[in-house]
């Protein structure tokens, strides 16, 4: 119970469509919506790199992911990439950039 004393509660208003998207992503991550949002905030708090400021959350078209050379084009820059579930690239799908580690981006199909 001591950990609960260090937690801060606050009201956050989201439109239904955003909440539904977060709920789906939380379900895929096997987390509650609250824990998923805390993990997103924790992962992105205080990050100072260009990628974390400008690239995280960007949407990438499958046609911009080049499986043959392992590169993805995001905001005019080529990066190496990983797909979060190790699936093959679906050229017709859209992907979200969910993590940046140096010049390697982690993508999640949306």
């Amino acid at each position: 119970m001591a950990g609960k004393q260090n937690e801060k509660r606050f009201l956050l208003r989201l439109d239904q469509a955003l909440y539904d998207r977060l709920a789906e992503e939380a379900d895929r991550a096997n987390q509650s919506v609250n824990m998923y949002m805390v993990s997103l905030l924790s992962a992105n708090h205080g990050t100072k790199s260009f990628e974390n400021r400008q690239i995280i959350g960007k949407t990438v078209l499958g046609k911009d992911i080049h499986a043959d050379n392992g590169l993805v084009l995001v905001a005019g820059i080529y990066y190496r990439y990983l797909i979060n579930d190790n699936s093959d690239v679906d050229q017709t799908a859209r992907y979200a950039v969910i993590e940046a580690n140096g010049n390697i981006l982690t993508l999640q199909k949306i």
Side-chain angles (χ1 to χ4, degrees), residues 50-51 55 71-80 105:
F50 172 80
E51 285 75 20
I55 305 296
L71 298 176
V72 59
L73 180 62
V74 181
I77 302 171
Y78 283 97
Y79 293 90
R80 295 214 167 272
L105 303 180

Side-chain angles (χ1 to χ4, degrees), residues 4-81:
K4 293 270 186 198
Q5 294 174 349
N6 293 325
E7 292 181 357
K8 176 68 178 164
R9 292 175 178 249
F10 69 97
L11 178 63
L12 177 64
R13 290 183 177 88
L14 304 172
D15 67 39
Q16 189 64 49
L18 176 57
Y19 179 85
D20 291 344
R21 282 192 357 237
L22 287 168
E24 288 176 17
E25 292 171 16
D27 188 50
R28 282 194 294 269
N30 200 28
Q31 293 180 325
S32 68
V33 173
N34 184 72
M35 286 306 301
Y36 184 71
M37 291 177 65
V38 168
S39 68
L40 289 175
L41 289 168
S42 296
N44 291 297
H45 175 69
T47 54
K48 302 293 182 192
S49 74
F50 172 80
E51 285 75 20
N52 281 303
R53 286 191 320 266
Q54 303 293 324
I55 305 296
I56 300 295
K58 290 274 188 196
T59 301
V60 178
L61 299 176
K63 69 179 184 71
D64 291 328
I65 302 171
H66 305 281
D68 56 331
N69 61 14
L71 298 176
V72 59
L73 180 62
V74 181
I77 302 171
Y78 283 97
Y79 293 90
R80 295 214 167 272
Y81 71 89

Side-chain angles (χ1 to χ4, degrees), residues 75-91:
I77 302 171
Y78 283 97
Y79 293 90
R80 295 214 167 272
Y81 71 89
L82 302 169
I83 305 291
N84 70 323
D85 64 0
N86 293 322
S87 63
D88 292 332
V89 174
D90 179 350
Q91 295 290 311

